[in-house]
Amino acid sequence: MRTKRKSLRWISVLLFVSMVWFLLLPAGPALAQRHEWDITSRSQGEEGSCWQSIGPDIPDDCGVWQVVASPNFAQDQTLFVVTYRPNASDTIPRVFASYDGGSSWHPILNQFVTAMGVSPDFAQDGTLIAAYASRVYISHDRGQTWEGTVDIPWRGGASALAFSPSFAQDKTVFLAGSKGLLVSTDGGYHWQTHAGAPLNIKCLGVSPDFTRDNTLFAGVTGSYEKNGLYRSTDRGKTWEQVAALKGISVTDVAFSPNYLQDRIVYAVGGGHLFKSTDGGKTWEKISITGSNGYCLAISPRFATDKTVFVGTEGMGVKDYDGVVKCKDGLQERLVCGLIGKTVRDLAAVDTGTGIKLYAAVTSRDYRHGKVYALSLPSEGGAPPVPVTKEGLVQRGIEYPFWLEVAAENARYALLKDPAHPEEYDKLPKLLGKKARVTGYLDTGPGFPDPVQGHVRVIKVEPLPEPVAGQVIINDPSFVTLTAVPNPDHHLWWATDYVLEVKAMDPTEPVEFSYLVTDSDGTPANPTVGVENRENNFIAGWDPGKQYYFHTEVGGWGKPEFTANPQYFPLPHYRTCLLVLGRHDKVYVVFLRENDGQLSYKVLQGGPFSGLDVPGLGRVNWQGERFEVRSYGGPVEEGLWVNGRYQHDEVAGWAQPEFKENPKYYYLDHYAGRSSLGMFMLMIARNDKVGLIIGNESEGQLTAVVVTGSHDWVTPEAVADLCEVQGLGGPQVEVRATGSDPVEVSHFAFDNTCWQWEVNGRAKPEFAPNPQTFALKHYTPGFLMVSRYGKVGIFFYNENDGQLGVLPVPPEQQPVAVFRIGQYYYEVGGQRSPTDVAPYIKDGRSFVPVRYLANALGVSNQDITWDPTTQEVTLRKGDIILYLTVGSRVMKKQVDAILPVETVQMDVAPEIVNGRLCLPGRWVAEGFGYRVRWDPAAQAVLLLLL
């Protein structure tokens, strides 16, 4: 009787499969128009090529839970697998590694874990993280040794672990499971709960564009009505359930390898494959034969083969077992060798000659675990490499659009790529204009003369017009800086563009300093020295030289200072550093011109009140000199001023003159020179770097202060342009990450400079990508990488073989805004009420100190008021500020063991309507912020340094 029931059950299954197959056939063509994969081909069955079991050697009652390939598999052939055994108390190996593509396996962790991840920068940092319940294990040497941490705020099962794609910079890792979502921002050592995340998370996906879109996906199973796919666009703080997948047990989510261009995401659950082409906002359901899809892998050649692999939970029926290969409207079951087995995880790697799949396989009762491998031949050879062409977009006859490339004396037919139709659709708006088109180039026969080939368009970028009145700084209360075409090409040796500097306040002349580096110096033969031109701008721009000069605009000290505006040359292909300052106002501009385009970054500063670099030292300004004080070990000091450089050590030991602590450094204004202007001061040691770029006039110092350094062992990314990484030695590697050339400029404080191109087209020696450049031993400097609107600036210091880097940050959004006359302040776009409104007195903007401190993160319990002495104390972290009504002295204590400093303010706090009020910059700068006044909005903006 039992045998008969079993036979009937099998007959029923076969009849059901036949019926499904029969129903699909006539609907195939119609469905193919609505869905991507609806025609099923079983060309690869038992008689086809088979999956091969490759290990590892584990007990028969163990399953394999996860298989993870190194991001650099083509180079290191590295795989990791996580095994599962119901008895968690034993000590058998749980994590195995293979360094030869699965031919041999090595146990690397004997702890019970259920989720594991590999750093996206594995080739550099060797980082692995594995987790189970309350414990996390971390390795930084490819699994040879492990550290354990139990600092997890929940005791739930861990089912998914995912790294931020920018892990090298943000150290962010996410861990998900039955109790929700955890996040670590220090590489997995400490974790915090995201209270708003769903429970019972089975899978987790971090957007490849996470640094910009902050997007996460979580698949939920086992919660019945709460099953589905959830999406967060604020790094996991809040979540929204995706309506199209509501109620479906989502077990895996995966991103296209070309996500930054195509925005494609896949999810699997409920017997269906789901696809989004807009980053997860909307979804399409794609039916696949069988109802047991469990895991996903996307072909690393997805841009050309459009292939997705779906692993299934085995049912012992060929139409429901194995891995489904989904490609261009066809499904193919890769089943041979996997009948009756459950595929728990999939990894797809590019071997150079084809695609190789690795499947973590177990039985339905979590036993008999092994890793299986299957090699698939290359479909159409290696994926084509995207190419970029720049030219004029025109409409054609044979083809809708042409790209006229004057440099090649050719034209290309522009055709739509199915994965990027929105890019092609930009072309009608660019007719007759310059554009940069990236695509897959086909130069095969069959194109009418003189067509060079056609380009399947994947990206279209309009080229900015050449400089024509480009405003760089617009500060109506102080200065405007504008790049304009040179009205007289015979003036200043025919520079194409000039910089217009206009002082906006007749009582505040603009001190203008200009450092122009040489365009002909190369890494192998750098330019040495700087020519100080004082006020002579008309002597031309000789090759092989760099120049520095300083003057005033709208000034009264000399007749040549009075003109307003004034014009200064902008030489072609040169990198420039400008400082525009006056008393408490200063702008620092990094600027480069090439091909009629400007690349620049503007930093705004204010009065200098000190620089603190934790663990290193501090710089104070004492009226006519800098005091540099070490907190313990040696401090490297480098001071560039007026084209001259000096290097020294504070609290050093190499030579007797290095031992003194503190030390003092004077600026040229007090050494008898009438012209000063710009200076750069760096203090550094190993990975700790602090920088001051400023201007001194009439005894008042203004500066931009830059902090936030680290050891230059991981790449610094400039979006859509390049990655820059220190290699020690000292050396630096520049790797272009887009199709554009990377302009690289280098200036060392000892006045040596050079420039070069990476991934360039102008000369054969510019073409290699990446390229490595030597830096100067014991000499600070900066490296600028740029291309049109994309800029990265990195100050560095090398000593004792260690390279510290200080990225110059972009202009930050204000952390807090106080508006004159308004009874509220804003933090992060949220308004908080006040009982006293900011006001203007004697040309200064006063804000209530308590609310100012609240806006900067000081809690009310850290604000104390002494009515007897009329002194307020503000505490934030290790910094304590003391302010007294009627006194222009603010006291500051950085650490309890350090002496109290005094800061001389230009006004005294006063009480208005029961609140202590003061110009906001004194308290803000005391806590490490800076203040900017927005005259249009009548607002005080507080920004991080």
Side-chain angles (χ1 to χ4, degrees):
M1 189 68 177
R2 185 176 301 166
T3 303
K4 185 176 181 179
R5 287 177 180 170
K6 184 175 181 180
S7 300
L8 288 172
R9 188 164 59 246
W10 274 104
I11 291 171
S12 299
V13 170
L14 290 173
L15 285 173
F16 173 75
V17 172
S18 300
M19 182 176 65
V20 171
W21 178 247
F22 175 78
L23 289 173
L24 282 175
L25 281 176
L31 288 175
Q33 295 175 10
R34 293 190 295 118
H35 301 301
E36 190 169 351
W37 301 303
D38 284 293
I39 305 172
T40 301
S41 168
R42 290 180 291 172
S43 61
Q44 184 157 351
E46 293 297 331
E47 69 280 7
S49 59
C50 286
W51 292 84
Q52 302 296 319
S53 174
I54 60 172
D57 186 15
I58 58 177
D60 196 52
D61 61 347
C62 288
V64 176
W65 196 265
Q66 191 176 5
V67 58
V68 184
S70 161
N72 312 286
F73 181 86
Q75 289 75 41
D76 59 28
Q77 300 289 297
T78 298
L79 294 168
F80 300 96
V81 300
V82 177
T83 67
Y84 173 82
R85 195 179 198 179
N87 180 11
S89 62
D90 56 36
T91 58
I92 68 167
R94 299 294 187 173
V95 181
F96 292 79
S98 174
Y99 306 110
D100 51 16
S103 297
S104 60
W105 295 90
H106 313 277
I108 59 173
L109 182 62
N110 290 353
Q111 302 292 337
F112 184 78
V113 298
T114 53
M116 179 180 174
V118 179
S119 163
D121 298 281
F122 183 70
Q124 286 77 38
D125 60 27
T127 297
L128 306 170
I129 300 180
Y132 168 71
S134 62
R135 186 171 292 276
V136 169
Y137 303 93
I138 303 172
S139 173
H140 294 300
D141 54 11
R142 304 167 66 87
Q144 297 182 46
T145 60
W146 295 79
E147 306 170 60
T149 174
V150 293
D151 188 15
I152 296 181
W154 51 245
R155 296 294 183 264
S159 58
L161 188 146
F163 285 78
S164 161
S166 303
F167 177 75
Q169 289 78 39
D170 59 29
K171 301 300 179 188
T172 297
V173 193
F174 295 95
L175 181 62
S178 59
K179 299 296 183 181
L181 180 70
L182 300 176
V183 62
S184 170
T185 56
D186 61 0
Y189 289 94
H190 299 88
W191 298 83
Q192 292 181 333
T193 303
H194 271 323
L199 302 179
N200 297 308
I201 297 176
K202 182 63 178 177
C203 61
L204 192 63
V206 181
S207 164
D209 202 17
F210 184 68
T211 55
R212 290 191 294 186
D213 65 22
N214 302 313
T215 297
L216 299 171
F217 292 95
V220 171
T221 66
S223 296
Y224 303 105
E225 73 279 0
K226 293 186 178 180
N227 285 351
L229 184 67
Y230 291 75
R231 180 171 178 257
S232 169
T233 57
D234 56 8
R235 295 180 169 247
K237 297 175 184 176
T238 61
W239 294 80
E240 180 181 4
Q241 190 173 17
V242 175
L245 285 80
K246 189 173 183 179
I248 294 173
S249 294
V250 177
T251 50
D252 205 359
V253 61
F255 298 88
S256 161
N258 312 293
Y259 179 81
L260 297 183
Q261 288 78 42
D262 59 30
R263 317 306 284 187
I264 291 177
V265 195
Y266 286 96
V268 66
H272 298 286
L273 190 63
F274 295 86
K275 178 182 179 181
S276 172
T277 58
D278 55 11
K281 297 176 184 176
T282 60
W283 292 81
E284 172 194 10
K285 183 170 71 172
I286 302 169
S287 297
I288 56 175
T289 302
S291 58
N292 55 338
Y294 187 83
C295 56
L296 283 173
I298 299 182
S299 167
R301 299 187 181 185
F302 182 80
T304 54
D305 64 25
K306 308 302 180 190
T307 298
V308 179
F309 302 95
V310 181
T312 66
E313 291 189 290
M315 298 177 63
V317 181
K318 190 163 61 174
D319 286 340
Y320 289 81
D321 288 346
V323 173
V324 181
K325 175 186 175 185
C326 303
K327 171 183 168 60
D328 290 337
L330 295 175
Q331 294 177 24
E332 183 179 355
R333 288 247 174 221
L334 309 177
V335 68
C336 180
L338 296 184
I339 292 292
K341 295 179 170 57
T342 288
V343 180
R344 285 289 169 191
D345 199 16
L346 276 175
V349 299
D350 194 334
T351 63
T353 59
I355 305 299
K356 194 163 189 176
L357 294 176
Y358 292 97
V361 169
T362 183
S363 60
R364 291 180 65 82
D365 58 357
Y366 305 106
R367 299 159 59 89
H368 313 295
K370 287 288 183 288
V371 175
Y372 282 70
L374 177 66
S375 296
L376 298 175
S378 174
E379 300 185 20
V385 178
V387 295
T388 296
K389 301 288 183 182
E390 292 183 3
L392 191 69
V393 174
Q394 294 184 328
R395 192 178 296 277
I397 299 175
E398 296 92 344
Y399 299 96
F401 297 99
W402 304 95
L403 187 70
E404 300 279 356
V405 181
E408 301 176 16
N409 192 28
R411 55 180 179 168
Y412 294 84
L414 303 179
L415 303 182
K416 185 175 292 189
D417 182 85
H420 307 85
E422 72 286 350
E423 293 295 319
Y424 182 86
D425 292 342
K426 295 177 182 178
L427 293 172
K429 299 179 180 180
L430 295 176
L431 284 176
K433 297 183 179 180
K434 294 280 289 183
R436 181 186 300 116
V437 175
T438 301
Y440 298 109
L441 179 63
D442 182 352
T443 57
F447 299 102
D449 186 69
V451 177
Q452 188 76 13
H454 74 236
V455 176
R456 290 285 181 183
V457 176
I458 63 175
K459 189 175 185 181
V460 173
E461 300 171 278
L463 287 175
E465 297 295 329
V467 174
Q470 186 166 354
V471 178
I472 300 171
I473 298 173
N474 182 19
D475 185 342
S477 68
F478 176 43
V479 66
T480 61
L481 174 66
T482 310
V484 296
N486 190 346
D488 186 349
H489 283 273
H490 299 288
L491 187 63
W492 299 316
W493 288 55
T495 59
D496 292 334
Y497 307 100
V498 293
L499 297 174
E500 179 192 82
V501 179
K502 184 176 182 180
M504 305 302 289
D505 185 346
T507 67
E508 294 284 358
V510 177
E511 303 276 346
F512 178 76
S513 299
Y514 197 8
L515 173 65
V516 183
T517 66
D518 177 42
S519 61
D520 295 328
T522 68
N525 187 25
T527 298
V528 178
V530 62
E531 185 169 326
N532 194 321
R533 286 292 179 89
E534 293 291 336
N535 301 313
N536 182 5
F537 309 110
I538 311 177
W541 302 99
D542 300 329
K545 289 186 178 181
Q546 58 184 341
Y547 302 90
Y548 171 75
F549 49 79
H550 172 74
T551 189
E552 282 190 17
V553 177
W556 50 73
K558 297 180 181 180
E560 59 266 33
F561 290 169
T562 57
N564 185 28
Q566 292 186 36
Y567 296 88
F568 308 99
L570 175 59
H572 189 52
Y573 284 128
R574 297 205 182 202
T575 298
C576 309
L577 178 58
L578 296 73
V579 172
L580 303 91
R582 187 68 177 182
H583 298 164
D584 62 342
K585 304 167 184 175
V586 67
Y587 289 92
V588 174
V589 183
F590 299 87
L591 184 148
R592 177 181 172 83
E593 186 278 342
N594 61 282
D595 300 335
Q597 314 294 328
L598 287 188
S599 306
Y600 61 88
K601 180 173 286 192
V602 179
L603 301 177
Q604 184 178 4
F608 177 75
S609 59
L611 165 66
D612 180 74
V613 181
L616 180 66
R618 180 169 179 81
V619 181
N620 291 313
W621 176 242
Q622 297 186 340
E624 59 185 45
R625 64 183 183 176
F626 287 111
E627 177 194 70
V628 179
R629 181 183 299 271
S630 167
Y631 287 157
V635 174
E636 305 280 339
E637 177 273 340
L639 177 61
W640 186 98
V641 58
N642 233 13
R644 292 181 293 135
Y645 169 64
Q646 72 174 65
H647 173 262
D648 194 12
E649 279 192 19
V650 178
W653 54 70
Q655 299 179 29
E657 59 266 31
F658 289 168
K659 294 181 179 179
E660 187 177 351
N661 183 25
K663 283 189 173 182
Y664 301 92
Y665 305 95
Y666 289 81
L667 293 180
D668 282 351
H669 187 71
Y670 296 96
R673 294 180 63 90
S674 60
S675 175
L676 175 62
M678 177 175 66
F679 68 87
M680 293 182 283
L681 174 65
M682 179 184 289
I683 63 169
R685 186 69 180 181
N686 300 343
D687 62 340
K688 300 177 178 65
V689 183
L691 176 69
I692 306 163
I693 307 175
N695 178 82
E696 187 277 340
S697 60
E698 300 176 358
Q700 298 191 50
L701 192 70
T702 58
V704 169
V705 178
V706 186
T707 57
S709 63
H710 54 79
D711 194 0
W712 207 351
V713 296
T714 53
E716 292 283 349
V718 179
D720 300 323
L721 182 66
C722 66
E723 290 183 342
V724 186
Q725 179 180 12
L727 302 179
Q731 289 184 315
V732 65
E733 178 189 81
V734 179
R735 177 188 300 272
T737 55
S739 54
D740 278 338
V742 181
E743 306 280 343
V744 184
S745 303
H746 173 265
F747 176 81
F749 279 20
D750 67 351
N751 294 313
T752 57
C753 73
W754 51 260
Q755 74 165 31
W756 201 248
E757 279 190 23
V758 175
N759 197 37
R761 302 184 280 261
K763 300 178 181 179
E765 55 265 36
F766 290 166
N769 180 32
Q771 294 186 48
T772 302
F773 307 101
L775 302 178
K776 305 203 74 173
H777 189 52
Y778 281 127
T779 305
F782 73 82
L783 196 77
M784 178 172 172
V785 291
S786 63
R787 185 67 175 180
Y788 303 158
K790 305 162 186 174
V791 185
I793 301 163
F794 309 97
F795 278 83
Y796 68 86
N797 182 78
E798 188 281 340
N799 60 281
D800 301 336
Q802 300 191 48
L803 197 63
V805 63
L806 181 60
V808 174
E811 181 68 15
Q812 294 173 313
Q813 296 299 312
V815 297
V817 180
F818 287 80
R819 302 180 188 275
I820 300 300
Q822 300 296 324
Y823 286 86
Y824 64 83
Y825 63 90
E826 298 176 39
V827 175
Q830 300 296 317
R831 293 183 178 182
S832 298
T834 66
D835 52 13
V836 173
Y839 59 93
I840 294 179
K841 179 180 179 181
D842 298 330
R844 306 298 301 277
S845 54
F846 282 68
V847 297
V849 171
R850 173 175 291 274
Y851 297 118
L852 173 64
N854 289 159
L856 298 178
V858 179
S859 62
N860 286 331
Q861 55 263 35
D862 289 327
I863 304 174
T864 57
W865 167 254
D866 187 335
T868 303
T869 61
Q870 291 200 307
E871 180 182 73
V872 65
T873 302
L874 311 174
R875 179 189 297 272
K876 183 181 180 185
D878 294 332
I879 300 177
I880 306 174
L881 303 181
Y882 305 91
L883 298 158
T884 303
V885 174
S887 172
R888 295 190 176 187
V889 174
M890 180 176 72
K891 292 181 290 184
K892 177 178 179 179
Q893 191 168 16
V894 177
D895 191 284
I897 64 173
L898 296 177
V900 175
E901 307 170 20
T902 59
V903 179
Q904 187 68 39
M905 301 185 295
D906 58 356
V907 294
E910 61 185 27
I911 294 180
V912 175
N913 295 333
R915 292 291 184 192
L916 189 70
C917 297
L918 183 72
R921 78 175 182 87
W922 296 110
V923 173
E925 290 177 0
F927 284 128
Y929 296 79
R930 60 186 174 89
V931 176
R932 180 160 60 88
W933 168 250
D934 186 341
Q938 288 287 288
V940 178
L941 311 179
L942 310 177
L943 303 100
L944 285 169
L945 283 176

